[in-house]
Amino acid sequence: MSRFFATGSDSESEESSSADEIAPKSTGTFKQSLLVSDDEEDTKRVVRSAKDKRFEELTNIIKTIRNAMKIRDMAKCLEEFEQLCRAFLKSKNIVDKEGVPSFYIRLLADLEDYLNQLWEDKEGKKKMNKNNAKALSTLRQKIRKYNRDYESEITAYKENPQESADEEEEKEPEDSGSSESDSDGEEEVTAKAFLKKKPEALPDASKFLKSAKGSGDESSSSDDDDDEDDEGWGSDTVSSQSESSDEGEGKSANLALVFLKKTQESDKPTEKKVSKKKKPKKKERLEEEAEDEGEEAEGGWEKVKGGVPLVKEKPKMFAKGTEINTTVVVKKLHEILQARGKKGTDRAAQIELLHALAAISNEHNLGQGILVKIKFNIIASLYDYNPNLAAFMKADMWKKCLDCIDELLDILFEHNNIFIGENIAEDSENLAISDQPFRVRGCVLTLAERMDEEFTKIMQNTDPHSQEYVDNLKDEGRVCGIIDRLLNYLENKGSTEEICRVYLRRIMHTYYKFDYKAHRRSLGLQGETKSEQDQVESEGEDSAVIMDRLCKFIYAKDRTDRIRTCAILCHIYHHALHSRWYQARDLMLMSHLQDNIQHADPPVQILYNRTMVQLGICAFRQGMIKDAHNALLDIQSSGRAKELLGQGLLMRNMQERNAEQEKIEKRRQVPFHMHINLELLECVYLVSAMLLEIPYMAAHEFDARRRMISKQFHHQLRVGERQPLLGPPESMREHVVAASKAMKMGDWRTCHTFIINEKMNSKVWDLFPETQREKQMLVRKIQEESLRTYLFTYSSVYDSISMEMLSQMFELEIPMVHSIISKMIINEELMASLDQPTQTVVMHRTEPTSLQNMALQLAEKLGSLVENNERVFDLKQGVYGGYFNRDQKGGYQQKQSYQRDQKGGYQQKQSGYQRGGYRNQNQSNY
C-alpha cells in the first residue's frame, strides 16, 4: 500500500519516506565503493578443482545426449557421444585417481539399452530419415565396442541401479562448488576461493547472502552465479549495515567522502590517495597468485583463465602403483590409437607416446610380441604424419621410419616364434609370454611397399639439380637392403603371393640400372678395378642373373596379371638396356602385350612406353634402323613423348585437366634418376627416319602418291627450308636436317660430319655405353644409304657405272656394293643389270621423263574415275555380278601387285591399288 494512503501519523509517514530515500542512496554509495575496490580492477577469477571442471564438462555433454535421446535425434547422439569420449580421454588422469564416475557408467548402460531397443523396432527404423538411420547403425557399433572396457561396472549398475543412482546423488552435492557444508575447513576454502581480498569479517556476510540466495532458489548456484549475486544484490541494507558495523571509522570516512564526491571539489586529492593505495595491493595480489600457483601444483586447484591454454607437462603413461603387464600395455596402446586420425590430434606427440610405450614394455620384459605390435603402430603413425596424400615425408621422419623397419626386421629374424599376418584377427592375437608362439596382426610387406612409395615421393618432390637430391638418392641403398632382407624373410615364411610382390619391388629397383661391372666382365676388363671393394662387388651376381631368376618365378607362380605384366616389361627393358636385342624382341612378341595394353592402368602404360622406347634405342645400336623407327614411331609422332614417358607435364594441355587431375598425374611421374634422355631419343628417331626417308624420297621423286614414312622428319625438313638465312647448324635438329640435305645429294662425307662431330658427341653419342662401336655402325649406315640415294638420283644420267668407282666414292668394299645393287635390282627399285666380267652396272633407261610421269598420273586418275562411275552405275541398276566378276578375273591386278610387293622395296605400297598395271605397260613401250 502506498504511503500517501497510510492511516498512521505524520511522523510515521516521515520515517517511512526517509527510509525510502535512504535506501537507494546507500545502494549508490555501496556500488561506488565497489567501483573503487581492487576486485573490479581485473576480470573475475574463478578457481575450481580439475575434478570439478572435468566432471562438469562430462555432465553437460550427458545432459545433451539424454535430450537427444528423448527426441530420437541419432545424429546428435552420435556427435555428442564422440565428444563425450574425447572429454573422458582428457579426464583420464582424474579418473585413474578417483575411479570411473557412476553417472558415466549409467549413461553408457542406458544408451546401449536404448539403442538396442531402437534397433529391434523395425517399424521405427523404417520411419527414420537416412542420416538418423546411418547414425544409429554407427553409434550402436561404437557403443558396443566401447562398453567392452567397462563390462564389470555396467553389470554392477544393472544389478542394482537404485544404489548407483543414490551414490551419484550423494556425490553431486559434495562435488558442486556452491553447496554448503558444516565443516569449518570447507567454509575457509570457499571463503578464500571467492573473496580472497576482503577483510576477515566480510566473508561471513557474503556467505550469509549466498546461503540466503541459495535457499530461495531451487537450483544450486555455480561460482559465476555467486559473483553476479555479489554485484546485483550487494546493496541490501543488511549487507551495508554489516559492512559498516565491521569496518572501522576510517572506512566509514572514506565512504562519506565517496558519497559527497560530486558536490565537493576537495575530493580530488582523496582520489589520488586511493589510487596510490592501489599499488601496494597489486604487489599483494601478485604474491597471492604465486601462492595460488604453488597450491595448484601441490593440491589440485586449477585457475581458469581465458585465452590460449598453456602448454602442460606430458601426461604420465601409467598411474603410480599400476602393475605393468601385457593387458595394461595393450589397453594403453588402444587408447593412444583411438585419437589417431581425429581432428586436433598432435601426431608428433602420439609418436612419442608410442616410443615411450615401447620403452616401458622393453623395461618390464613383456616379450617380443607386444614390442612387434607397438613397432607396427609406430611405423603406421610415421606414415600418417602427413595427412595429405601428395605431401612427402620430412628427412627426420624418413630416417626414423627406416630405423624402425630395420629394428622390426631384426626382431623377426632373431625370434622365429613370431608369426605375423593380416589374416590374424585381433581377438586371436597372442602377445603375452607363454609356451605358444607369438601371433601378431600386421603385414611387413605392406609397410615395405609404403616405404618404397614414400621414397618415390621424396625423389619426385626434390629438386633434381641440387645436392639434396644426391643425398636422398643415397638412401636407395638402404631401401634396397630392407627389400632384400624382407625378401629373405618371406622366402621362408611368406606365401607365394607375398613373394611375388616383394620380387616385383626388387625388380623395380634393378631394371633401369646399367650393370657396368657385368659389361666390363663381358669385355674382359676385370683387372682394371682398383680397390678390393670393387673386386668383391664385381665377383657378385650379375643383374641379368638376378632379373632372370626373379622374373621367371613371377611368370610361373603369379596369379595376377598386373604383377606379371610389370615383370615382363621390366625384363624386356633390362634386356634392351644391355643390348640383348633378340631376347628383348622375342619376349615382347611372345607376351602379346601390345594387343591389350590400352586396358592397363596408367603406371603400367607408362612402363610400357618406356620399354618400347628402350627397345627402339637398342635396335638402333644394333643397326636395325627400320625396327628402331617402328618402335619409336608411336611415342615420337604424338608430340607428347615427355608426358607419355612420365617425365613431366606439357603446358599446352593444362586447360584440358583440372587441378585434381594434375595432382594425380604429378604423382605418376618417374623420378629424375630414372628418366630417359629425350634429346637422345629424338635424335635416334630423326636419324633413323633420315636413313629411311631420304632414299625413299629419291626413288619416288615424281610419284604423286608418295607416302611419308615420318611426319615429324618432314616437318623438320620444311622448317629448315623456310629459313631465309642458313647458317651453320647449332641444335641437334638442325644438324640432322643439314645431314639429310647432304645425303640427298649423295654426299656421304658431309652427312657424316654433320651427324658425328664434337657437339653431337657431347649431346648424344657419348651417352651410349659403347660409343666407338655405335659411331662405326652409324658411319656404315650413312655410306650404304648414301649409295642407294646416289643410284636413285643419278641412274638416269649413267649408261653404266663401275662398281669399283662406287666402292671408292663411298669407301665400301666391292662385295658390299655388289650386295646393295643386287638387292635393288631384285626388288625392282633399280632398272639395271650386273655385268660380272667388267664389274659394272648397266642401266636400262626405262625411267620415264617428267612429261611421261605427268601422263601416267593423269592415266591413273582417269582409271580411278572410270572405276567409281562403273560402281555407282552398277548400284543404281542393281547388277553386282559384273563388278565382282571383273574383280575376281584380276582386272584391277590387286593380288598380283600385292605379291610383287612382298619382295620388298620402297614402291610396294604406292602401286597396291592402281588400275591394271598402267605404269609397267607404258614403261615397256617407252
Side-chain angles (χ1 to χ4, degrees):
M1 185 175 178
S2 175
R3 64 189 177 88
F4 296 108
F5 300 98
T7 57
S9 62
D10 296 337
S11 62
E12 291 176 355
S13 64
E14 287 175 0
E15 288 176 31
S16 63
S17 65
S18 62
D20 292 337
E21 290 173 358
I22 289 168
K25 287 180 181 178
S26 63
T27 305
T29 57
F30 186 68
K31 283 187 177 179
Q32 288 176 355
S33 66
L34 287 176
L35 289 171
V36 175
S37 68
D38 295 318
D39 290 342
E40 294 299 320
E41 187 175 325
D42 296 325
T43 57
K44 290 286 181 181
R45 293 184 298 145
V46 180
V47 180
R48 290 182 293 169
S49 67
K51 176 184 173 184
D52 292 343
K53 180 183 173 185
R54 296 299 183 194
F55 281 12
E56 182 183 354
E57 184 182 0
L58 293 174
T59 309
N60 292 336
I61 298 173
I62 287 171
K63 286 179 183 177
T64 310
I65 292 176
R66 291 196 181 276
N67 291 336
M69 288 165 62
K70 290 176 184 176
I71 60 175
R72 292 197 173 191
D73 189 354
M74 290 296 103
K76 185 68 175 175
C77 278
L78 176 60
E79 180 184 351
E80 293 298 326
F81 179 73
E82 291 176 349
Q83 189 177 352
L84 180 68
C85 293
R86 289 194 291 269
F88 188 76
L89 195 61
K90 290 179 185 176
S91 314
K92 195 63 182 172
N93 293 335
I94 298 169
V95 171
D96 291 341
K97 294 178 184 177
E98 304 290 336
V100 182
S102 55
F103 61 83
Y104 190 74
I105 298 297
R106 181 181 178 187
L107 174 82
L108 294 180
D110 292 349
L111 185 58
E112 186 174 14
D113 294 341
Y114 174 74
L115 293 175
N116 290 334
Q117 182 181 354
L118 285 182
W119 189 262
E120 292 170 1
D121 184 10
K122 303 296 182 182
E123 296 297 327
K125 281 172 62 178
K126 291 180 181 178
K127 294 178 182 178
M128 283 185 180
N129 60 22
K130 184 178 180 182
N131 290 337
N132 277 346
K134 186 177 179 181
L136 173 63
S137 175
T138 307
L139 183 56
R140 181 170 173 268
Q141 291 176 358
K142 284 192 174 185
I143 195 71
R144 288 173 66 186
K145 186 176 180 181
Y146 192 78
N147 284 2
R148 289 175 191 167
D149 298 334
Y150 307 101
E151 285 181 359
S152 58
E153 292 89 342
I154 292 173
T155 306
Y157 167 74
K158 288 184 177 179
E159 288 175 356
N160 198 349
Q162 187 62 36
E163 286 186 6
S164 301
D166 294 341
E167 288 176 5
E168 183 181 348
E169 290 174 0
E170 288 175 5
K171 286 183 179 179
E172 281 180 358
E174 291 176 4
D175 295 340
S176 62
S178 63
S179 63
E180 296 181 3
S181 174
D182 295 335
S183 64
D184 297 335
E186 288 186 2
E187 289 179 3
E188 291 173 4
V189 170
T190 55
K192 190 174 181 181
F194 290 108
L195 298 168
K196 287 180 182 177
K197 298 171 188 175
K198 297 288 182 182
E200 292 181 356
L202 188 58
D204 295 331
S206 62
K207 188 177 179 187
F208 171 76
L209 289 175
K210 289 174 196 170
S211 61
K213 174 73 171 62
S215 63
D217 194 0
E218 292 180 0
S219 61
S220 64
S221 61
S222 64
D223 300 336
D224 297 334
D225 295 335
D226 293 338
D227 296 335
E228 291 173 2
D229 295 339
D230 291 342
E231 291 176 9
W233 298 97
S235 60
D236 289 341
T237 56
V238 177
S239 63
S240 64
Q241 288 173 4
S242 64
E243 285 179 5
S244 63
S245 64
D246 292 334
E247 292 174 353
E249 294 177 0
K251 184 72 177 177
S252 62
N254 286 337
L255 288 173
L257 290 172
V258 172
F259 178 72
L260 298 173
K261 179 171 65 175
K262 294 181 181 178
T263 57
Q264 296 180 0
E265 296 178 356
S266 61
D267 291 339
K268 294 180 181 177
T270 61
E271 291 177 359
K272 292 181 181 177
K273 289 180 182 178
V274 172
S275 64
K276 287 180 181 178
K277 288 180 180 179
K278 288 180 184 178
K279 294 181 181 178
K281 290 196 174 183
K282 286 183 181 177
K283 293 181 181 178
E284 293 175 9
R285 187 166 62 251
L286 291 173
E287 291 175 1
E288 288 178 0
E289 288 177 0
E291 291 176 5
D292 294 342
E293 290 175 1
E295 289 174 4
E296 289 171 14
E298 293 174 4
W301 290 97
E302 183 179 357
K303 185 170 71 175
V304 179
K305 280 189 176 181
V308 181
L310 298 174
V311 179
K312 297 184 179 179
E313 295 181 359
K314 296 178 182 177
K316 293 182 180 179
M317 191 67 69
F318 298 103
K320 289 183 180 179
T322 306
E323 183 184 355
I324 307 298
N325 54 31
T326 306
T327 308
V328 174
V329 173
V330 171
K331 186 176 179 181
K332 191 68 181 178
L333 177 63
H334 286 307
E335 288 176 9
I336 296 172
L337 295 179
Q338 277 178 356
R340 178 181 172 189
K342 293 184 178 178
K343 188 176 181 181
T345 304
D346 187 355
R347 297 180 182 87
Q350 203 174 24
I351 294 169
E352 290 179 8
L353 286 174
L354 289 170
H355 278 293
L357 196 62
I360 289 172
S361 65
N362 256 339
E363 184 182 348
H364 292 82
N365 298 322
L366 298 181
Q368 300 301 323
I370 185 66
L371 187 61
V372 168
K373 186 171 181 64
I374 295 173
K375 289 287 182 187
F376 269 118
N377 288 292
I378 289 174
I379 298 168
S381 299
L382 288 170
Y383 289 146
D384 291 346
Y385 187 77
N386 290 324
N388 188 3
L389 187 63
F392 61 99
M393 293 178 75
K394 302 300 179 186
D396 54 343
M397 290 293 172
W398 171 244
K399 300 294 182 188
K400 286 181 183 177
C401 180
L402 292 180
D403 293 339
C404 283
I405 295 176
D406 270 329
E407 291 170 7
L408 180 61
L409 288 173
D410 290 339
I411 295 171
L412 294 177
F413 275 112
E414 289 174 7
H415 303 85
N416 293 324
N417 60 340
I418 301 176
F419 292 96
I420 58 174
E422 290 177 317
N423 54 352
I424 299 175
E426 289 188 4
D427 299 337
S428 62
E429 284 183 326
N430 182 24
L431 304 176
I433 299 175
S434 62
D435 297 336
Q436 299 295 326
F438 294 110
R439 289 170 59 84
V440 184
R441 177 179 174 81
C443 181
V444 195
L445 179 58
T446 306
L447 298 180
E449 288 177 339
R450 180 70 188 273
M451 172 200 68
D452 197 16
E453 292 169 3
E454 290 293 338
F455 176 71
T456 304
K457 282 200 285 187
I458 289 172
M459 302 311 296
Q460 286 173 344
N461 290 277
T462 308
D463 180 14
H465 306 292
S466 64
Q467 182 62 32
E468 184 185 1
Y469 191 90
V470 179
D471 296 337
N472 290 337
L473 191 57
K474 292 177 183 176
D475 290 335
E476 190 181 15
R478 286 194 70 182
V479 173
C480 291
I482 289 172
I483 292 175
D484 283 335
R485 295 183 67 190
L486 182 60
L487 187 147
N488 295 330
Y489 176 78
L490 291 177
E491 282 177 348
N492 297 326
K493 292 190 175 183
S495 62
T496 306
E497 182 184 355
E498 290 177 333
I499 294 174
C500 289
R501 284 165 61 189
V502 74
Y503 275 8
L504 181 63
R505 289 288 166 183
R506 187 68 183 89
I507 288 168
M508 296 297 283
H509 281 279
T510 307
Y511 81 97
Y512 63 89
K513 297 174 183 173
F514 186 80
D515 194 348
Y516 284 97
K517 288 167 186 170
H519 179 63
R520 285 177 184 171
R521 280 200 294 271
S522 66
L523 298 176
L525 302 175
Q526 298 97 319
E528 291 185 5
T529 54
K530 298 178 182 179
S531 64
E532 294 180 359
Q533 183 180 358
D534 289 342
Q535 290 179 357
V536 171
E537 289 179 357
S538 64
E539 292 173 0
E541 200 173 14
D542 287 351
S543 62
V545 179
I546 297 173
M547 288 288 294
D548 194 57
R549 175 170 56 85
L550 300 182
C551 290
K552 284 183 177 177
F553 181 88
I554 292 177
Y555 301 158
K557 304 289 186 182
D558 180 58
R559 296 178 183 176
T560 62
D561 290 337
R562 190 181 187 279
I563 293 179
R564 186 169 60 252
T565 301
C566 291
I568 291 172
L569 290 172
C570 292
H571 205 181
I572 295 169
Y573 190 104
H574 195 263
H575 279 315
L577 189 63
H578 292 82
S579 300
R580 295 188 287 271
W581 158 250
Y582 291 104
Q583 292 96 315
R585 183 199 63 181
D586 294 345
L587 191 54
M588 175 62 81
L589 294 176
M590 286 189 295
S591 65
H592 296 285
L593 289 176
Q594 59 273 21
D595 297 337
N596 54 8
I597 194 63
Q598 67 271 15
H599 302 300
D601 53 337
V604 178
Q605 290 185 11
I606 289 174
L607 180 59
Y608 174 80
N609 293 337
R610 286 166 53 80
T611 304
M612 288 302 297
V613 163
Q614 199 59 246
L615 201 60
I617 295 174
C618 175
F620 181 82
R621 290 200 302 266
Q622 299 301 313
M624 313 287 183
I625 303 299
K626 196 167 186 179
D627 292 320
H629 180 269
N630 291 336
L632 300 176
L633 180 62
D634 291 336
I635 301 295
Q636 286 299 122
S637 61
S638 65
R640 299 185 301 127
K642 186 177 182 180
E643 193 171 356
L644 293 175
L645 295 175
Q647 297 181 186
L649 301 179
L650 297 178
M651 295 302 294
R652 62 187 178 87
N653 289 337
M654 296 297 280
Q655 298 175 354
E656 301 175 6
R657 65 173 79 91
N658 54 31
E660 190 64 29
Q661 289 174 339
E662 184 180 349
K663 288 180 184 178
I664 293 172
E665 290 188 12
K666 281 184 178 178
R667 289 200 292 270
R668 294 177 186 148
Q669 300 303 302
V670 177
F672 182 77
H673 64 280
M674 298 171 64
H675 281 193
I676 297 171
N677 192 317
L678 294 176
E679 191 172 18
L680 180 144
L681 174 62
E682 187 178 10
C683 180
V684 167
Y685 175 74
L686 290 177
V687 170
S688 301
M690 178 190 75
L691 295 174
L692 294 176
E693 192 79 62
I694 296 299
Y696 180 79
M697 290 170 63
H700 301 85
E701 188 175 359
F702 302 107
D703 194 349
R705 294 191 178 184
R706 183 181 67 197
R707 65 182 180 87
M708 286 188 293
I709 296 176
S710 171
K711 289 183 180 179
Q712 188 181 3
F713 178 73
H714 277 275
H715 174 69
Q716 296 299 333
L717 287 181
R718 285 195 296 270
V719 169
E721 290 172 358
R722 289 173 192 162
Q723 292 181 355
L725 295 174
L726 288 177
E730 295 181 0
S731 66
M732 177 270 300
R733 295 173 181 173
E734 291 177 356
H735 276 87
V736 175
V737 170
S740 302
K741 292 179 180 178
M743 181 183 280
K744 199 171 182 181
M745 303 301 295
D747 187 358
W748 76 271
R749 288 185 178 86
T750 307
C751 178
H752 170 230
T753 54
F754 280 131
I755 293 295
I756 300 175
N757 51 57
E758 291 183 2
K759 190 177 286 188
M760 291 289 285
N761 288 346
S762 61
K763 286 185 177 181
V764 180
W765 309 124
D766 287 345
L767 302 178
F768 286 130
E770 299 179 23
T771 306
Q772 286 302 121
R773 181 171 167 272
E774 316 305 337
K775 290 179 183 176
Q776 291 172 3
M777 179 275 301
L778 198 54
V779 171
R780 187 65 175 240
K781 288 293 177 183
I782 289 173
Q783 290 171 338
E784 293 175 4
E785 298 303 324
S786 297
L787 172 60
R788 286 164 50 82
T789 307
Y790 184 83
L791 291 174
F792 282 132
T793 306
Y794 300 109
S795 61
S796 59
V797 178
Y798 288 99
D799 286 330
S800 62
I801 185 170
S802 171
M803 283 192 288
E804 185 178 356
M805 187 185 73
L806 292 174
S807 173
Q808 292 173 358
M809 283 176 63
F810 294 97
E811 296 184 6
L812 291 169
E813 301 85 359
I814 292 179
M816 191 67 198
V817 175
H818 185 278
S819 172
I820 293 171
I821 295 174
S822 299
K823 285 181 182 177
M824 293 174 68
I825 294 172
I826 291 169
N827 294 331
E828 299 182 2
E829 296 172 347
L830 184 66
M831 299 301 170
S833 60
L834 285 172
D835 187 14
Q836 290 292 342
T838 58
Q839 291 289 307
T840 57
V841 182
V842 181
M843 303 297 173
H844 290 174
R845 282 188 163 269
T846 57
E847 289 299 320
T849 62
S850 59
L851 180 61
Q852 292 168 342
N853 275 318
M854 293 174 65
L856 288 173
Q857 293 175 20
L858 178 62
E860 289 172 2
K861 290 179 180 178
L862 289 173
S864 62
L865 181 63
V866 170
E867 182 182 341
N868 290 334
N869 286 340
E870 289 180 353
R871 189 179 302 169
V872 172
F873 181 75
D874 289 343
L875 287 173
K876 285 185 178 180
Q877 297 296 324
V879 180
Y880 300 96
Y883 171 73
F884 286 105
N885 289 336
R886 183 172 62 251
D887 208 14
Q888 291 170 3
K889 292 175 183 175
Y892 293 93
Q893 294 188 358
Q894 289 182 12
K895 294 181 181 178
Q896 295 175 8
S897 60
Y898 179 76
Q899 291 171 358
R900 186 175 66 250
D901 290 344
Q902 293 299 318
K903 298 176 183 177
Y906 289 100
Q907 294 181 348
Q908 57 184 356
K909 291 190 177 179
Q910 62 91 18
S911 61
Y913 294 96
Q914 292 177 1
R915 168 115 184 190
Y918 276 104
R919 181 166 181 173
N920 293 333
Q921 295 172 9
N922 292 332
Q923 284 176 1
S924 62
N925 294 331
Y926 292 121

